[in-house]
């Protein structure tokens, strides 16, 4: 018998995993799942998080499978927001590997990601989730997650299971050479998750070549059931007196609304109101008569309903970054399709608003505190996170829901449980130190780098407005501070192009490695010497201070020891590096919810 061996590289294809699901497992778990499938280059995780939170707020049992994992492989698989335990994950994965070894399939052994995908599908089916939110790993057409059948439940070449809605997020040039050699190839690959007769939600595409390919594939698959966000009357607005519209169908949702995610005062941008996405529904549909409809034996889930009265809704945008309004649009229209055509009637406007306010997606424009302030006491009052009137008494707060204590953070766990979420506060007699915060983001390609730089620039402008940092006499920022970039890359990235979109003259650049992610043998960290060489090609490099570190821990030690000057610290380049930062600060965002 051939012993199971884990491939050390990405090996796309569906023959192995479909054969395993159909013939090796005791039963095919896909038959129990109803799926929202999300593909794209950027924004997939945010869309998944928004959809899942809204469905949970509505009272549905929701499973989610993200790729890649964040801290450990098990945190990618969650039911009701809680990850499968490490022990259960290891046991289930070992069972699947044993079955695969015994089967000796002529297609070969499952790849590590295929094993993880089978683990996720089996776990979500075992827990009888009412909705499974699945994020594509790499590409789409040949990705291991692309194994679900038609929306009406009939068996397709992909097998059983019901892929109800497919969302295509913004597509750009990433994984070149792995899923395609051109942007058009990549767009075609990511469109491969579309199913005839299903509903397809298309994000606004900045790259016109990608848009035309994706739209064409959607028209070929489901010409009467396409929601193109590009055509929807959505707007990113400020709502001074925002409140959630409680509906009788859901009862009182206030007990499940979490406190607003606390971030530094300068990063809220909201004044006394809320940043919201203003949407109208039902959506305008892309319908064309020149494209042939699907084959007669593939009927749509239900005919489109054009008679609904147009309604309007404000959705809170908790996740920072201008681009999140686009992700929220995709998530909302996917949810609207679910409640209108697939019987998810509990998805009221109030439930969706609650879910959007509750969403937490770590490692994406996340403000993390690593300084050493005086810890708050259990009876420290908690002011409203977005109320400038409270800035004189509270100026700092941790950006994540559930960080625990660490050597670099003296946050009190007892106070965090009493206050509803953790707080790191400076009283009015202590100066605010921008240097004690890190903005962590998983930006690892050119479009994401551009968005990150835009967010940084907006934040720097806010820093110059003293009303966002009080008391003024303790923190007189009369200049725009430079940015200290802490960056590491995976191998194969266009490092010079990415750095050129972020780093500007006067900034400093700290180059660090990251640890090898578990169960991902194809991921290698780029050596800091190689990043240094790439950095020498960016404009005005002579005006940028570049330093190399042998570990993230040593870079954090240097940050802690640095008492000269004021910098805005930004860590980015790889989600695996961001995960290392969370480990260093002992922040575990996917542990059991405490709200």
């Amino acid at each position: 018998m051939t012993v199971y061996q884990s491939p050390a590289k990405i090996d796309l294809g569906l023959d192995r995993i479909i054969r395993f699901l159909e013939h090796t497992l005791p039963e095919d778990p896909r038959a129990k799942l109803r799926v929202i499938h999300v593909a794209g280059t950027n924004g997939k995780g945010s869309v998944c998080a928004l959809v899942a939170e809204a469905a949970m707020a509505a009272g549905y049992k929701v499973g989610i499978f993200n790729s890649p994992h964040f801290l450990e492989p098990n945190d990618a698989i969650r039911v009701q927001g809680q990850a499968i335990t490490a022990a259960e994950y290891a046991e289930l994965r070992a069972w699947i590997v044993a079955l695969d070894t015994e089967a000796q399939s002529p297609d070969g052994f499952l790849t590590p990601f295929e094993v993880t995908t089978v683990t996720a599908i089996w776990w979500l089916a075992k827990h009888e989730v009412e909705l499974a939110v699945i994020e594509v790993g790499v590409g789409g057409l040949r990705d291991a997650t692309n194994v679900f059948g038609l929306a009406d439940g009939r068996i397709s070449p992909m097998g059983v299971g019901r892929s109800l809605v497919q969302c295509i997020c913004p597509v750009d040039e990433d994984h070149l050479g792995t899923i395609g050699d051109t942007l058009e190839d990549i767009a075609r690959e990511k469109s491969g998750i579309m199913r005839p007769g299903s509903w397809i939600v298309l994000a606004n595409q900045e790259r016109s070549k990608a848009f035309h390919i994706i739209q064409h594939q959607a028209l070929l698959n489901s010409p009467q059931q396409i929601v193109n966000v590009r055509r929807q009357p959505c707007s990113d607005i400020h709502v001074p007196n925002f409140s959630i519209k409680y509906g009788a169908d859901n009862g009182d949702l206030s007990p499940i609304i979490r406190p607003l995610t606390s971030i530094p005062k300068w990063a809220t941008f909201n004044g006394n109101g809320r940043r919201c996405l203003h949407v109208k529904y039902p959506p305008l549909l892309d319908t064309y008569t020149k494209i042939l409809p699907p084959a007669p034996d593939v009927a749509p889930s239900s005919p489109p309903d054009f008679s609904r009265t147009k309604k309007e809704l404000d959705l809170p945008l908790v996740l920072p970054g201008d681009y999140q309004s686009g992700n929220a649009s995709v998530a909302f229209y996917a949810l609207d399709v679910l409640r209108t055509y697939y019987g998810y009637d509990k998805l009221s406007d109030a439930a969706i608003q609650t879910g959007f306010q509750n969403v937490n997606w770590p490692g994406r424009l996340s403000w993390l505190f690593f300084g050493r302030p005086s810890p708050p006491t259990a009876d420290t009052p908690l002011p409203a996170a977005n109320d400038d009137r409270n800035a004189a008494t509270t100026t700092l707060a941790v950006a994540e829901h559930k960080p625990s204590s660490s050597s670099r953070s003296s946050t009190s766990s007892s106070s965090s449980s009493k206050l509803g979420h953790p707080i790191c506060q400076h009283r009015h007699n202590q100066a605010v130190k921008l240097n004690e915060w890190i903005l962590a983001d998983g930006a690892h390609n050119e479009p994401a780098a551009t968005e990150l730089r835009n967010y940084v620039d907006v934040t720097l402008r806010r820093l110059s407005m003293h009303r966002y940092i009080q008391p003024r006499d303790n923190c007189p920022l009369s200049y725009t501070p430079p940015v200290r970039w802490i960056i590491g890359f995976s191998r194969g990235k266009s490092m010079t192009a990415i750095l050129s979109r972020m780093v500007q003259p006067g900034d400093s650049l700290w180059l660090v490695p990251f640890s090898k992610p578990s169960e991902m043998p194809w991921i290698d960290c780029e050596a800091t010497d190689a990043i240094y060489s790439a950095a020498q090609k960016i404009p005005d490099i002579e005006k940028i201070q570049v330093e190399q570190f042998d570990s993230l821990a040593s870079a954090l030690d240097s940050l802690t020891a640095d008492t000269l000057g004021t910098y805005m610290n930004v860590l980015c380049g790889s989600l695996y590096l961001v995960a290392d930062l969370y480990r260093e600060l002992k922040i575990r965002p996917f542990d059991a919810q405490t709200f």
Side-chain angles (χ1 to χ4, degrees):
M1 177 183 293
T2 304
V3 179
Y4 177 86
Q5 292 182 337
S6 173
K9 62 179 183 180
I10 296 176
D11 187 8
L12 298 175
L14 299 177
D15 292 340
R16 292 180 300 270
I17 189 169
I18 288 180
R19 179 185 288 270
F20 187 88
L21 290 166
E22 291 180 346
H23 302 294
T24 306
L25 288 174
E27 60 178 332
D28 194 333
R30 294 174 295 172
K32 298 180 180 180
L33 298 181
R34 306 177 84 197
V35 174
I36 284 189
H37 206 183
V38 185
T41 302
N42 294 310
K44 303 188 301 294
S46 298
V47 170
C48 289
L50 288 162
V51 169
E53 285 288 353
M56 285 190 288
Y60 293 105
K61 190 173 185 179
V62 181
I64 188 168
F65 176 45
N66 289 120
S67 176
H69 66 263
F70 192 43
L71 299 185
E72 289 88 23
N74 61 295
D75 67 33
I77 306 169
R78 305 186 298 282
V79 173
Q80 296 301 87
Q82 186 168 349
I84 177 177
T85 67
E88 290 173 308
Y89 174 82
E91 181 181 1
L92 181 54
R93 187 180 177 88
W95 174 66
I96 291 170
V97 169
L99 290 177
D100 192 27
T101 302
E102 183 180 353
Q104 296 286 300
S105 170
D107 297 314
F109 293 123
L110 297 174
T111 67
F113 182 65
E114 289 169 348
V115 174
T116 302
T117 303
V118 174
T119 303
I121 293 173
W122 183 270
W123 182 257
L124 299 185
K126 175 184 176 181
H127 282 265
E128 299 181 341
V129 298
E130 297 169 276
L131 180 67
V133 184
I134 307 293
E135 178 182 359
V136 167
V138 176
L141 176 64
R142 296 171 291 160
D143 184 72
T145 64
N146 193 28
V147 292
F148 298 98
L150 303 177
D152 60 6
R154 280 180 284 178
I155 298 176
S156 75
M158 299 299 184
V160 297
R162 299 180 64 183
S163 183
L164 306 181
V165 184
Q166 299 92 53
C167 302
I168 309 296
C169 295
V171 172
D172 214 296
E173 294 173 348
D174 200 13
H175 298 293
L176 282 170
T178 300
I179 60 175
D181 297 323
T182 66
L183 179 61
E184 292 89 339
D185 291 340
I186 293 172
R188 199 171 289 109
E189 181 81 16
K190 292 182 182 293
S191 300
I193 68 168
M194 297 177 184
R195 295 289 185 268
S198 66
W199 279 87
I200 302 169
V201 181
L202 306 180
N204 185 31
Q205 300 290 334
E206 295 293 334
R207 304 291 296 273
S208 60
K209 291 181 179 180
F211 168 73
H212 291 302
I213 293 291
I214 294 168
Q215 185 185 51
H216 180 69
Q217 293 299 316
L219 293 173
L220 290 176
N221 278 279
S222 197
Q224 303 298 316
Q225 299 180 183
I226 303 169
V227 180
N228 187 347
V229 169
R230 193 176 195 170
R231 297 187 60 207
Q232 308 310 319
C234 303
S235 56
D236 188 338
I237 63 173
H238 180 88
V239 180
N241 299 307
F242 172 77
S243 63
I244 291 177
K245 299 177 180 178
Y246 297 108
D249 49 349
N250 288 107
D252 183 10
L253 293 173
S254 58
I256 67 171
I257 298 176
R258 300 174 194 157
L260 293 176
T261 301
S262 295
I263 60 178
K265 200 65 189 175
W266 59 80
T268 61
F269 303 169
N270 291 318
N272 295 325
R274 295 293 299 153
R275 178 188 170 211
C276 290
L277 176 72
H278 185 75
V279 297
K280 295 181 180 181
Y281 66 92
L284 301 171
L285 300 183
D286 273 345
T287 56
Y288 295 82
T289 57
K290 294 182 180 180
I291 303 295
L292 293 176
D297 61 335
V298 181
S301 54
S302 60
D305 180 7
F306 299 99
S307 62
R308 288 191 293 162
T309 303
K310 188 71 73 174
K311 298 182 180 179
E312 300 183 11
L313 181 64
D314 290 328
L315 298 166
L317 292 173
V318 173
L319 300 177
D322 290 341
Y323 58 89
Q324 288 294 355
S325 59
N327 294 333
S329 299
V330 173
F332 170 74
Y333 287 115
L335 291 162
D336 188 53
V337 164
L338 284 179
R339 65 183 178 180
T340 305
Y341 300 106
Y342 292 114
Y344 287 81
D345 301 329
K346 293 187 290 184
L347 279 169
S348 65
D349 287 354
I352 296 175
Q353 286 179 314
T354 301
F356 277 40
Q357 178 160 309
N358 284 350
V359 69
N360 176 35
W361 191 225
R364 283 75 171 178
L365 294 181
S366 298
W367 287 93
L368 305 178
F369 186 79
F370 71 96
R372 295 187 176 93
S374 301
T377 60
D379 58 352
T380 303
L382 175 62
N386 293 318
D387 190 345
D388 285 334
R389 294 171 296 180
N390 297 299
T393 56
T394 300
T395 54
L396 294 178
V398 172
E400 295 297 330
H401 286 307
K402 299 175 292 300
S404 60
S405 61
S406 76
S407 60
R408 293 187 177 90
S409 177
S410 56
T411 303
S412 169
S413 59
S414 62
S415 63
S416 66
S417 61
K418 180 170 183 176
L419 293 175
H421 64 108
I423 293 295
C424 253
Q425 295 175 319
H426 278 218
R427 302 303 294 172
H428 62 83
N429 60 347
Q430 294 177 293
V432 176
K433 293 183 179 180
L434 178 64
N435 289 10
E436 294 181 328
W437 290 83
I438 297 178
L439 175 64
D441 189 74
H444 61 280
N445 52 43
E446 293 177 61
T450 299
E451 293 291 351
L452 175 56
R453 182 72 227 194
N454 290 340
Y455 180 80
V456 167
D457 288 340
V458 171
T459 303
L460 291 174
R461 288 196 296 270
R462 295 285 172 168
L463 281 167
S464 66
M465 302 169 63
H466 286 199
R467 66 189 181 90
Y468 285 88
I469 307 178
Q470 297 180 5
R472 298 177 186 176
D473 56 345
N474 282 339
C475 190
L477 281 182
S478 58
Y479 65 96
T480 300
V483 182
R484 180 190 281 130
W485 300 91
I486 306 169
I487 293 181
F489 288 112
S490 301
R491 285 185 184 171
K493 298 297 180 181
S494 302
M495 295 184 290
T496 301
I498 295 172
L499 291 170
S500 297
R501 297 202 180 197
M502 294 189 296
V503 186
Q504 295 182 359
D507 293 347
S508 63
L509 185 58
W510 288 13
L511 310 178
V512 297
F514 58 78
S515 60
K516 185 85 171 179
S518 300
E519 298 179 5
M520 303 182 76
W522 57 89
I523 297 295
D524 290 309
C525 175
E526 191 64 84
T528 57
D529 287 341
I531 305 176
Y532 182 89
S533 298
Q536 300 308 305
K537 302 175 185 177
I538 66 178
D540 298 314
I541 184 58
E542 68 279 359
K543 300 178 182 178
I544 300 168
Q545 181 182 1
V546 184
E547 296 184 48
Q548 295 176 249
F549 294 84
D550 58 5
S551 68
L552 175 61
S554 61
L556 292 177
D557 288 338
S558 295
L559 281 182
T560 304
D562 183 12
T563 58
L564 300 176
T566 299
Y567 289 87
M568 178 178 173
N569 301 310
V570 182
L571 182 140
C572 62
S574 171
L575 191 61
Y576 312 115
L577 177 60
V578 173
D580 279 350
L581 176 62
Y582 275 67
R583 295 186 190 99
E584 286 286 335
L585 300 181
K586 294 182 172 58
I587 302 173
R588 303 188 60 82
F590 293 125
D591 283 356
Q593 300 289 333
T594 58
F595 301 110

